[in-house]
Amino acid sequence: MSDEQEIKELFNDWIKSTIEGDLELARQCIADDAVFFVPGAGEMDKETFAQGAAGGSPEESPINFDLDSKLRELKVFGDQAYLWIESTLVCSPKNGDPSTKMAGHSLSVLEKRDGRWLIIRDANTLTTVPE
């Protein structure tokens, strides 16, 4: 399998972990020393980000998440690569409160370690879209 195919599988697993609330799958996509940059939250480590991104199954969560992410660009440079992703996220509280829509881009830096591609840095610009 090519590096591009492996990275696309990692991207699909990452999105799946977020949609399904699969914390273990999210952790498998992230290097232990990863750093995430999130608007309003600053720097986050692997565990903090993974718990926020995939913090519980859809049945357990008080919010329904509708995530649409498109891979805009993928470049590989030896054992490093980057992904440019465009996303829209709608968070709908199950109690009937109004939904929140967020949109933006993220730039993820990946590194191949021990034969596996992992996210090592991620800068996320998802922000609330005014209604």
Side-chain angles (χ1 to χ4, degrees), residues 26-81:
R27 287 181 180 128
Q28 292 173 18
C29 297
I30 306 169
D32 289 339
D33 61 347
V35 179
F36 292 82
F37 306 99
V38 180
E43 292 181 29
M44 299 174 87
D45 64 9
K46 171 183 178 170
E47 190 59 29
T48 304
F49 189 83
Q51 291 222 3
S57 71
E59 296 79 27
E60 298 169 347
S61 176
I63 298 172
N64 287 320
F65 295 99
D66 182 16
L67 177 63
D68 180 26
S69 291
K70 292 176 182 52
L71 185 56
R72 296 278 307 266
E73 188 172 75
L74 163 59
K75 297 286 183 188
V76 178
F77 307 93
D79 285 345
Q80 294 194 326

Side-chain angles (χ1 to χ4, degrees), residues 48-112:
T48 304
F49 189 83
Q51 291 222 3
S57 71
E59 296 79 27
E60 298 169 347
S61 176
I63 298 172
N64 287 320
F65 295 99
D66 182 16
L67 177 63
D68 180 26
S69 291
K70 292 176 182 52
L71 185 56
R72 296 278 307 266
E73 188 172 75
L74 163 59
K75 297 286 183 188
V76 178
F77 307 93
D79 285 345
Q80 294 194 326
Y82 75 82
L83 300 175
W84 169 20
I85 302 162
E86 184 174 8
S87 298
T88 301
L89 174 65
V90 178
C91 302
S92 303
K94 292 179 180 177
N95 67 5
D97 285 348
S99 297
T100 302
K101 181 177 180 181
M102 301 177 78
H105 301 265
S106 61
L107 186 63
S108 300
V109 179
L110 289 77
E111 190 168 81
K112 195 167 194 175

Side-chain angles (χ1 to χ4, degrees), residues 118-129:
L118 298 168
I119 299 167
I120 62 167
R121 300 289 182 271
D122 185 271
N124 181 322
T125 67
L126 274 157
T127 54
T128 303
V129 176

